[in-house]
Amino acid sequence: MSFSVTWHTLLDELDDLPERSTLITPLSHDRFRVTDVQEQRVVIEFLDRDIDEGRPLQRDQFETLYRRITDEQDGFDLDRLPPDADPYPAVLSLHPRFEVDEDAKVITETEGPTSTQLLDSEPETDTTERTESDLDVYADALLLVDALERHEVEVLEEMETDALVNLYTLLSDVQRNANDLRQDVANVLLNRLHHGRPVSGPFGSVQRTTRRNRSLKDDDKVLATVEAAGIDRERVLGVDRDKVDDALDVTELSESDVYDIEESEYVRKAEVDEERKETRLQGLKDQLAATEGEEAEELREEIEELESRIEELTEFKSGASFHTRAGGEP
């Protein structure tokens, strides 16, 4: 392949480069961007240097590098580059037939798929206007963040009992409301997902799956089916819990006569003071609305940071012990 063809292929790749894409040099690891693509040169701008003007990379220098790469069977040794020539192999790596191996410190020509010196593009600034949500989980999460910031929750044993009660209540409310919202979101997503095709977002990915639940058909039909298959019906008959409980009600038998019972202690939320929660929540909103000047700006920044953490808190799943009987319900 002639260099002219290689050069114009490289220019096409550079023209298709996403805006604000960042490359990194293989030796000095300097970050730079391509600011202009011309017939005889490529103009770059370093991001880590105090240099305002762009630096041109000339076509004839790319051709010299191309000749050296194609003349070497195992690739061109990057240590042989002239001073300040580090950006040339980084740009050339955008060509689909050239690849930099930083570990071996060589740039090679290859027929297979190649990697580049291109870093991930910088994320776009989110300019979407933020508004206060009316969802219950938003209010509870806001109160939870406030409680977490006012108490040393890293050492729960040193917290006052009333503070622990408030914290447990808020965690419970956030968990319940977040799970309700999660299910609503799942119901909408279900119509947009296909089996075997994960869909990704900034924080993770989801996939449509199938859960298999079984329930026995009518007793007579099941018994008739297994008997027709040559299986004695006695082998599939078992103890019915509901019928056992009915028998306990009309006999002098105790639960321990027919059940193995284990008991464990747990904490259960008894009630919620919604009025108190609303008062505290409104106080947080009023505090922001009434503040002016530098203090207001600092508070708004804190609220923005708090809101960014709310998404994580809404996915909170607290661990809990349940009061259960062996094989039974809470």
Side-chain angles (χ1 to χ4, degrees), residues 299-313:
L299 187 55
R300 287 187 177 90
E301 291 177 359
E302 291 178 3
I303 292 295
E304 289 178 2
E305 181 181 354
L306 180 150
E307 288 177 334
S308 69
R309 291 162 55 189
I310 283 177
E311 293 181 1
E312 299 177 6
L313 288 171

Side-chain angles (χ1 to χ4, degrees), residues 274-301:
E274 296 290 351
E275 183 177 351
R276 184 67 175 269
K277 285 172 55 179
E278 181 61 32
T279 299
R280 178 59 184 167
L281 181 62
Q282 189 60 48
L284 291 174
K285 297 176 182 178
D286 293 343
Q287 184 181 359
L288 176 60
T291 311
E292 299 179 357
E294 294 183 2
E295 186 179 353
E297 185 62 28
E298 292 178 0
L299 187 55
R300 287 187 177 90
E301 291 177 359

Side-chain angles (χ1 to χ4, degrees), residues 50 85 110 131 160 164-165 179 222 227 243 247 252 264 293 295 304 314 317:
D50 296 330
T110 178
T131 58
E160 298 293 335
L164 286 171
V165 171
N179 191 61
V222 172
E227 284 184 325
K243 293 181 178 179
E252 295 182 357
S264 59
E295 186 179 353
E304 289 178 2
T314 56
K317 295 182 178 180

Side-chain angles (χ1 to χ4, degrees), residues 77-219:
D77 187 349
L78 295 175
D79 286 333
R80 295 169 55 193
L81 285 171
D84 296 328
D86 212 7
Y88 282 90
V91 173
L92 188 57
S93 74
L94 295 174
H95 190 287
R97 292 187 59 181
F98 293 92
E99 182 175 35
V100 171
D101 185 340
E102 288 197 22
D103 293 334
K105 291 188 177 181
V106 296
I107 179 171
T108 58
E109 184 179 17
T110 178
E111 296 290 341
T114 61
S115 59
T116 72
Q117 295 300 108
L118 184 66
L119 299 177
D120 292 335
S121 300
E122 293 188 1
E124 298 292 334
T125 302
D126 186 4
T127 57
T128 305
E129 183 179 353
R130 303 179 72 104
T131 58
E132 182 181 322
S133 172
D134 291 330
L135 294 173
D136 291 337
V137 69
Y138 181 91
D140 287 331
L142 186 63
L143 289 169
L144 177 58
V145 170
D146 176 62
L148 292 173
E149 292 181 342
R150 286 188 294 110
H151 300 289
E152 297 289 338
V153 295
E154 291 80 3
V155 188
L156 295 175
E157 291 76 11
E158 297 182 4
M159 289 180 60
E160 298 293 335
T161 300
D162 61 340
L164 286 171
V165 171
N166 286 340
L167 186 60
Y168 184 88
T169 301
L170 291 172
L171 287 169
S172 178
D173 288 346
V174 168
Q175 181 188 22
R176 183 189 69 252
N177 292 326
N179 191 61
D180 290 343
L181 178 60
R182 183 182 67 87
Q183 189 58 56
D184 291 341
V185 172
N187 291 337
V188 176
L189 279 174
L190 195 61
N191 296 322
R192 304 184 184 182
L193 301 177
H194 301 281
H195 284 288
R197 292 186 181 180
V199 177
S200 299
F203 300 132
S205 62
V206 295
Q207 184 174 2
R208 181 170 180 159
T209 58
T210 299
R211 181 183 293 112
R212 187 167 180 263
N213 296 320
R214 301 190 309 166
S215 59
L216 282 173
K217 297 181 178 180
D218 179 79
D219 290 353

